Structures are given as structure tokens and as C-alpha cells.
Amino acid sequence: MFDPDHLKDINFEKYSRIAIAFSGGLDSSVLLQGLASIPEYKKKLFAIHVNHGISPNSDSWLKHCEQMCASIGVNFVPLKIYLEDNLKVSENLLREARYETILSWLKKGDVLCTAHHQDDHIETVLFRILRGTGIKGLSGIEKFSQIGGIDLIRPLINYSKKDLLEHANKSGIDWVEDESNEDLSFSRNFIRKNILPNLNNEHWPSYFNSLSYLSRKAKEANEILDEIADLDLKSCTPESFDKLSILKIKELSRARGLNVLFKWLSLNTHLGISNKLTDQVYKSVLLASDSSNPKVSFGRKGHKGSFQVRRFNNFLHHLPLTETESLNDKKDWKWNPDIPLVLPTGTLSMKVSSGTGLSSSLSQKGIIIRGRAGGERCKPQGRSKSQKLKKLFQEYGVPPWERNRIPLIYIGDDLAAVSDLWVCEDFLAEKDEEGIILNWTDNLRN
């Protein structure tokens, strides 16, 4: 039987705000009223209702949730999801969109609570088995985890659906029923309605306990794998956490290499990483030839948490998946160096210097910014002759994916500088002359 007093066992005092993903259904209604019954929690409780706008009942659910919060004196936060018209609606898409929307409201010091319960946990384990999962997936739904740098707690995970229903009926809690829960085209609904009831018979009367045991053992195995992955990460990320050493991973067994790769990918995004994706990165990027420029992308361009993995100089590079891959070579941007210039691929700014950088007097003729078209040449200071940018990029170790993103600085029709990498010799500031030191920040480095 569910007892709201048991929620006091969770240390919510350390959080500034307690957010609940509140749909208005049975589970989240029990959780909301349970936390609201504890005075020290209620004062910093926020019910986050995400309106998907899919069901014709969405507006009535919103009104119900707002009225319930008003009746018990809890802060109500309505949020709306705007889905693209051409997107196919799926369980995974809605879940990702829901969490992304909630995370946009949360801030450091908050905690997010969801109303997942014991039945959800068992359904998840079985769903992952049927879909195909690794050891991590078998551990099911954790009570304590993180998402997007925010603590995520599921206070009801040790209670069954029956426990919550009995408490709701006893306490007079009203809730809404989502008709999509009856839609058997959703995998979890099919498992809940058609598979689990048929397991609960004379053949497998203890299936619930068996899956729970499997989940506990998988969790123990995951703890060991995590400890090993943490040790391997220290040796495989010697320069930056955004880079993973290919040579170090190849010193490990394949299984151990996949384990550390999975951990690295997971820590770099709040989106769920699959074993299939990890295998793809391992085979297509890590094992690719040194001369190739492979890429594996995950998520949607411009969306938080989406990323790409690329290979260069014996390192795997974890980069955001941006809307713009290169700077348009057919467009010119006039630039007043006193004001930072925001370009599709990053931001160009400057600071004044003396005797170094781009000649300030020459730049007064007007600065034009262009993207790379190919064939450009520059003679950096100290070189005997000019060289093609392609050769200079290779020599200075500029990754291939950055080369068409960086801005080229023109004075008149002449190339004067290449972002903050080089000033072409004819445009260098003279000794004691005022100069301009350029600074380029690529969106990929944010």
C-alpha cells in the first residue's frame, strides 16, 4: 500500500524546486498529492504539464490539471510541444520531445520527479528484451538518475499500479484517462494489454519476481561495467573529454572498448544511447582507415543533445550536430571589427594590439568576410612562398569538418587573413603600428 509519508525518506530538502511531470493521470496525480501533503515539500513544488496537442482531449486535460493544482495550492506550469507536421509520431519521439521541453524550464538546483511505478519497470525490462538490449537495458528504470545535468527521481518505482489505484480510491483522488493507453499500435500498450496478462497464469506465475531478479542482477553487472569504464575513460581522454583516444581504445579488448565508448557517448548527451549506435561508431568511425573522414550522427540538427562523432589524428571527436555545416562561399558579409560578427557557423571578434595581427590601417579600406570556395592561397609570416589553404590546414592539423566553416577575411579582392589562424604577410601590422588580433569561436566548440 502506498503511504505518502514514505516520500519523506527522499532527501528533497537540498533542491531549490521540486518539479513533477504531471499528466493528470492516476500515477502522477498520486505522486503530486503525496508530495503536496508534506508541508516542507509543497512550498517548492511545481507541477509541469506538457501538452502534446495530439489528443482532442488535450485542452480538457490541461484544464483538469490546472484546477487540481489550484485546489491543493501547488504551482502549475503548462508547457506546449510543437511537433513538425511531417514527423511520424512514436513513443520515442514523444518521450524525447517531452523531456526536452521540461528540461528547457528546469535550471541548476532543481529536481525532476516522474511517476513511474513497479509495473512500468517490469514492462520496460520486457520491452527491451523483445526489442533487443544489452545489460544496461535489463536494469530497467532506475529510482535515481540524471537527465541533462538535472537529478531525476522516480519516488513510486517500488509501488505497483494496484498500490497506487487503491490509494487513489481511498483518498478520493480524481484523474484523467488518456485514450492513447488503449492504442495497441504502441509497443508498451501491447505488452501491457496482451502479453503480461497471459504470462500471469499457471505456466509463469512468478514472472514478475523473475524479471525483477534479472533486473537486480543486471544492475549489479552494470555497476561493475561502470567502474571499469570510469578507469578506462581516464586513460582514453588524456587531452579533452570531447576527444577519445583511438590508440588507447585499441589496446583494450573489443568488449571493453565498446564499454568505454558507450560510457563516453552517454556522458556527452542527455539523449539515450543504444548499443546499436555504439556498435556503429566502433565499426564505422573507430575502425575506419586513417585517411578517411567518417561520421556518425545522432539526433536532429540543431536540437539539444544531438551530436556527431568524427575521426581525426587518432582521436574520436564528439561534436554538436549543427544546422549549418559550412560557411556559404557565395555570400559576403561586411564587417565592422568594433562589433562581433555572428555568422551561421560561429562568431568573429577582435581586440586591438600593437605591432601584431592584421594591419589596422589597411583594414580601414573595408573588411569583407567570405566562406571558402577552394583554391585560396595565403603566405603566413616567415614563409618563403604562399600556399594553398588545403596544405596549410593539413600542416596545422585543422580537422576536415572545420575547414569549410571558418571565415576568410578579405580586404578588397585580396585574402588578408584566415580566421584567427594566419594573417597573410602583406597585411601584417608593421612594428609599432596598431593591429587587430582576430578571434574565431566555432559553434562546434560551444
Side-chain angles (χ1 to χ4, degrees):
M1 185 71 173
F2 172 69
D3 184 351
D5 281 343
H6 292 162
L7 297 174
K8 295 178 182 178
D9 297 336
I10 301 174
N11 182 21
F12 283 115
E13 288 82 0
K14 64 180 182 179
Y15 299 107
S16 302
R17 300 185 299 180
I18 305 171
I20 295 179
F22 180 48
S23 67
L26 167 67
D27 313 330
S28 60
S29 296
V30 169
L31 178 58
L32 177 67
Q33 298 221 19
L35 286 172
S37 69
I38 303 171
E40 57 267 36
Y41 296 168
K42 181 178 180 179
K43 59 186 178 183
K44 53 183 180 181
L45 198 57
F46 291 80
I48 313 297
H49 179 78
V50 178
N51 185 353
H52 300 85
I54 296 176
S55 170
N57 298 312
S58 294
D59 290 339
S60 64
W61 295 341
L62 173 65
K63 185 175 180 180
H64 168 87
C65 292
E66 186 176 20
Q67 290 174 343
M68 178 180 286
C69 289
S71 68
I72 60 176
V74 170
N75 301 293
F76 180 66
V77 181
L79 300 175
K80 175 77 173 176
I81 288 179
Y82 297 94
L83 298 173
E84 298 174 22
D85 293 336
N86 59 341
L87 286 179
K88 182 180 179 181
V89 175
S90 65
E91 294 170 277
N92 189 54
L93 173 67
L94 291 176
R95 183 174 61 256
E96 287 184 5
R98 186 162 57 248
Y99 276 120
E100 187 173 336
T101 301
I102 294 174
L103 283 171
S104 69
W105 181 85
L106 295 168
K107 59 186 180 182
K108 187 176 180 180
D110 293 344
V111 62
L112 174 63
C113 295
T114 63
H116 292 94
H117 48 74
Q118 200 172 49
D119 294 54
D120 293 324
H121 170 69
I122 294 300
E123 289 168 12
T124 296
V125 172
L126 185 56
F127 170 71
R128 290 176 179 174
I129 291 173
L130 296 172
R131 184 185 61 180
T133 188
I135 296 295
K136 188 172 182 64
L138 290 178
S139 61
I141 302 175
E142 302 283 357
K143 184 173 184 177
F144 300 100
S145 59
Q146 274 204 338
I147 182 169
I150 299 292
D151 284 352
L152 174 59
I153 300 178
R154 300 174 175 95
L156 306 181
I157 201 64
N158 295 324
Y159 296 95
S160 68
K161 183 81 169 184
K162 182 181 178 182
D163 291 332
L164 304 184
L165 182 60
E166 288 177 354
H167 175 79
N169 289 330
K170 180 180 177 181
S171 304
I173 296 175
D174 190 20
W175 68 88
V176 298
E177 292 286 357
D178 185 344
E179 73 279 355
S180 69
N181 289 332
E182 303 300 320
D183 185 351
L184 298 184
S185 66
F186 288 116
S187 300
R188 291 176 185 272
N189 290 345
F190 186 86
I191 290 172
R192 184 181 309 123
K193 300 289 184 179
N194 286 5
I195 296 181
L196 291 179
N198 290 317
L199 292 179
N200 193 16
N201 55 33
E202 67 273 11
H203 293 291
W204 296 286
S206 301
Y207 84 89
F208 199 97
N209 293 333
S210 298
L211 289 176
S212 295
Y213 175 78
L214 175 64
S215 175
R216 289 196 301 273
K217 301 309 290 185
K219 184 177 180 180
E220 292 172 6
N222 275 316
E223 290 174 359
I224 296 172
L225 292 173
D226 269 347
E227 290 176 8
I228 295 172
D230 288 338
L231 292 173
D232 290 339
L233 270 178
K234 291 179 181 179
S235 63
C236 293
T237 54
E239 297 184 16
S240 165
F241 197 70
D242 292 331
K243 297 164 61 177
L244 199 64
S245 171
I246 292 174
L247 297 179
K248 290 291 185 181
I249 292 181
K250 286 185 174 180
E251 293 176 0
L252 305 173
S253 67
R254 183 179 183 277
R256 193 161 168 176
L258 285 168
N259 184 50
V260 69
L261 181 57
F262 180 90
K263 183 67 176 283
W264 180 67
L265 292 172
S266 299
L267 290 175
N268 270 306
T269 181
H270 69 275
L271 303 178
I273 301 299
S274 67
N275 290 306
K276 182 179 179 180
L277 176 68
T278 307
D279 287 339
Q280 185 182 5
V281 172
Y282 191 91
K283 294 175 182 177
S284 302
V285 185
L286 189 140
L287 297 182
S289 64
D290 293 337
S291 59
S292 64
N293 183 25
K295 175 178 72 171
V296 169
S297 300
F298 181 70
R300 290 178 287 163
K301 287 185 176 181
H303 285 249
K304 184 178 179 182
S306 298
F307 63 87
Q308 55 183 309
V309 177
R310 308 189 72 148
R311 175 191 177 118
F312 184 64
N313 279 356
N314 282 317
F315 277 91
L316 297 182
H317 295 255
H318 187 283
L319 306 161
L321 191 59
T322 58
E323 292 279 5
T324 305
E325 295 292 332
S326 61
L327 201 58
N328 190 341
D329 64 310
K330 302 293 192 297
K331 182 176 180 179
D332 292 349
W333 289 269
K334 292 183 179 180
W335 183 37
N336 172 5
D338 294 329
I339 303 172
L341 178 64
V342 179
L343 296 166
T345 56
T347 302
L348 185 65
S349 60
M350 73 87 180
K351 66 178 181 180
V352 176
S353 65
S354 178
T356 58
L358 181 66
S359 169
S360 183
S361 60
L362 291 175
S363 68
Q364 290 175 6
K365 297 178 182 179
I367 296 179
I368 300 295
I369 307 300
R370 293 177 184 150
R372 183 180 173 219
E376 298 89 353
R377 303 181 71 93
C378 178
K379 182 184 178 185
Q381 187 176 23
R383 296 296 177 105
S384 60
K385 60 180 181 179
S386 68
Q387 289 181 286
K388 287 186 176 181
L389 295 191
K390 181 179 180 180
K391 292 290 185 181
L392 290 171
F393 286 146
Q394 290 172 345
E395 181 181 342
Y396 281 81
V398 178
W401 57 85
E402 291 187 8
R403 296 173 189 176
N404 289 338
R405 298 178 58 85
I406 65 175
L408 306 184
I409 292 84
Y410 282 82
I411 294 178
D413 292 328
D414 297 316
L415 179 62
V418 181
S419 69
D420 53 5
L421 296 172
W422 315 286
V423 174
C424 302
E425 192 172 65
D426 291 342
F427 295 88
L428 283 165
E430 299 288 343
K431 185 179 180 181
D432 298 328
E433 179 191 3
E434 184 179 278
I436 294 173
I437 301 295
L438 299 169
N439 180 62
W440 168 243
T441 303
D442 195 305
N443 292 339
L444 292 176
R445 301 174 191 165
N446 288 352

